[in-house]
């Protein structure tokens, strides 16, 4: 069956006792695209992946994965997907090659030795293939894990925080692998805590907060929504309040303080608020300005702006 969406979920829910981990998750991932599920610790990303990959049963809601019903056709779903968890699933006592052969046999792949060799080669693990996986670096283990999830050539690949804890070189290798997979037509859903990662890889981003999608769109759509972070450093602490007043007036956003650096900042979505104008306004207000800057938002800024943190603390 051909469908537009490789992943389509509606109102997925999951509770663990009193913790409502996923609270009505609506996701639509078009076939052949990369979807970045972005969210802070505890947002429900791993639970969402476990639900969508049949590792957990939803309490409510429905989903279709690669055209199959998540609950009623769970085994068909399993045949079409690959999963790499937040924590490596390879066996450290076995070599890379043994791990992949084992996965291939478990999944009844024809020619398990050939398939293992092919994937070792693809992920630059041929030299290390006959060493126990426990001797691999973090990046190598992650690559082996990714290779294992591809053993059956999945239509949809789920990657839960594939680059957390990796150095930049290893991270780039994983990013390249994701780009290659997309080129080959694989749909990829990956979770991440890094805005940059989502920005680099994702066609669309779903911003998950407290178990549901708070915002979604292309990276540039989200950035336009988020705006720019304007920060001002003043010469002495007494001037912070005045600087905050100017920022508040110009941005309409609640300023945040860094008292150690005598700094105050706020997010703005106003394209007419440029650095020269900010400096002029501060100067006109008599703020003893030491430094002023405008930079793209960090993930913290994104979440302050797009989610209501106060509500979560309540
Ligand atoms: N098996 C479980 N039993 C009880 N609570 C759980 C279980 N799994 C997850 N939770 C809770 O559900 C919420 C969402 O957790 P989840 O692991 O899905 O978040 P996450 O977005 O993946 O976080 P992280 O970025 O830390 O990986 C958290 O409050 C977590 O403590
Ligand atoms: Mg997680």
């Amino acid at each position: 069956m051909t469908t537009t969406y490789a992943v389509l979920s509606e109102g997925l829910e999951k509770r663990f006792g009193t913790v409502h981990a996923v609270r009505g998750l609506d996701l639509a991932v078009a076939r052949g695209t990369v979807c970045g599920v972005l969210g802070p610790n505890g947002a429900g990303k791993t639970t969402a992946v476990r639900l969508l990959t049949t590792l957990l049963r939803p309490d409510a809601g429905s989903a279709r994965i690669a055209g199959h019903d998540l609950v009623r056709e769970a085994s068909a779903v399993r045949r079409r997907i690959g999963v790499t968890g937040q924590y490596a699933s390879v066996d450290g006592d076995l070599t890379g090659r043994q791990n992949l052969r084992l996965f291939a046999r478990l999944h009844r792949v024809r020619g398990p030795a050939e398939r293992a060799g092919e994937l070792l080669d693809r992920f630059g693990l041929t030299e290390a293939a006959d060493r126990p996986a426990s001797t691999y670096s973090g990046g190598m283990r992650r690559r082996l894990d990714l290779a294992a999830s591809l053993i059956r050539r999945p239509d949809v690949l789920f990657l839960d925080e594939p680059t957390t804890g990796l150095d930049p070189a290893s991270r780039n290798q994983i990013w390249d692998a994701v780009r290659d997979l997309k080129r080959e037509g694989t749909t990829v859903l990956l979770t991440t805590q890094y805005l940059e990662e989502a920005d680099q890889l994702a066609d669309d981003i779903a911003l998950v907060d407290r178990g549901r999608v708070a915002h979604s769109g292309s990276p540039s759509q989200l950035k336009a929504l988020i705006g720019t972070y304007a920060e001002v450093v003043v010469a002495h602490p007494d001037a912070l309040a005045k600087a905050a007043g100017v920022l508040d007036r110009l941005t309409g956003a609640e300023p945040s303080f860094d008292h150690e650096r005598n700094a105050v900042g706020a997010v703005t979505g106003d394209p007419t608020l440029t650095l020269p104008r900010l400096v002029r306004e501060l100067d006109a207000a008599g703020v003893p300005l030491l430094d002023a800057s405008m930079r793209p938002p960090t993930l913290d800024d994104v979440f302050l702006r797009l989610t209501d943190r106060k509500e979560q603390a309540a």
Side-chain angles (χ1 to χ4, degrees), residues 241-255 266 268 270 273 277-278 280-287:
K242 194 183 259 182
V246 174
L247 275 175
D248 188 11
R249 174 165 56 79
L250 293 176
T251 66
E254 197 176 322
T268 175
D270 177 1
L273 184 58
R277 184 173 153 225
L278 177 65
R280 275 200 305 277
E281 296 268 2
L282 288 160
D283 195 39
V287 174

Side-chain angles (χ1 to χ4, degrees), residues 46 86 160-161:
T46 296
Q86 188 169 3
D160 193 10
E161 298 202 20

